């Protein structure tokens, strides 16, 4: 009788473990900086990327982080489509994003996009996360707080 309970509990724990592992592996996404992505997909410069290397990564879900080249930002008239270039060190990645653009996008320090890399080397994003500059930065010792803010915080 006791053996049945032990076997039943073991079976339930095993089933939960298998379901957890399968679910986690399907939801896992690779996370790269722009330079890491190009090094992983096509060592060297993106201009030298081989079509076969890009095709191998095409359609694979990933997230990429970099800095927005402000001169490259192009918005569609409807405001729901955005094209820009992510940079990191000396590497660039063209990104197209369709969806709501966060209000803080123009002031972002860095951007993380989630989506897929196309066979042509362009990134099609369906997620856009921005990291804004810190609103509250410490005032160095001996310095005065910004005008209009007595406690050393700025509204930036």
């Amino acid at each position: 009788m006791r053996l049945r309970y032990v076997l039943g509990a073991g079976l339930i724990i095993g089933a939960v473990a298998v379901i957890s592992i399968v679910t986690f592996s399907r939801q896992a996404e690779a996370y790269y900086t722009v330079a890491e992505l190009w090094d992983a997909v096509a060592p060297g410069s993106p201009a030298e990327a081989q079509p076969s290397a890009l095709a191998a990564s095409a359609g694979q879900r990933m997230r990429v982080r970099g800095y927005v080249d402000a001169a490259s930002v192009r918005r569609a008239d409807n405001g729901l489509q955005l094209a820009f270039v992510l940079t990191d060190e000396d590497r660039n990645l063209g990104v197209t994003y369709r969806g709501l653009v966060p209000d803080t996008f123009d002031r972002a320090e860095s951007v993380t996009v989630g989506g897929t890399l196309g066979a042509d080397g362009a990134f099609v994003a369906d997620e856009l996360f921005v990291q804004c500059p810190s609103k509250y930065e410490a005032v160095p010792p001996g310095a005065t707080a910004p005008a209009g803010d007595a406690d050393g915080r700025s509204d930036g």
Side-chain angles (χ1 to χ4, degrees), residues 72-95:
S72 70
V73 176
R74 304 284 180 260
R75 295 178 189 255
D77 292 336
N78 64 7
L80 294 177
Q81 193 161 357
L82 184 68
F84 57 93
V85 173
L86 273 184
T87 64
D88 184 20
E89 298 172 6
D90 59 344
R91 309 287 180 91
N92 295 326
L93 177 66
V95 176

Side-chain angles (χ1 to χ4, degrees), residues 23-117:
T23 302
F24 177 75
S25 66
R26 288 186 182 169
Q27 298 298 322
E29 290 182 344
Y31 184 85
Y32 300 103
T33 63
V34 175
E36 290 170 345
L37 173 64
W38 284 121
D39 287 342
V41 172
S45 71
E48 299 167 1
Q50 300 297 319
S52 60
L54 290 173
S57 295
Q60 180 184 10
R61 182 112 183 116
M62 62 183 73
R63 290 189 178 180
V64 182
R65 181 178 179 171
Y67 303 97
V68 176
D69 178 5
S72 70
V73 176
R74 304 284 180 260
R75 295 178 189 255
D77 292 336
N78 64 7
L80 294 177
Q81 193 161 357
L82 184 68
F84 57 93
V85 173
L86 273 184
T87 64
D88 184 20
E89 298 172 6
D90 59 344
R91 309 287 180 91
N92 295 326
L93 177 66
V95 176
T96 57
Y97 169 73
R98 184 178 191 99
L100 295 175
V101 179
D103 293 339
T104 55
F105 177 78
D106 296 326
R107 297 181 311 211
E109 278 187 0
S110 66
V111 172
T112 301
V113 291
T116 57
L117 183 65

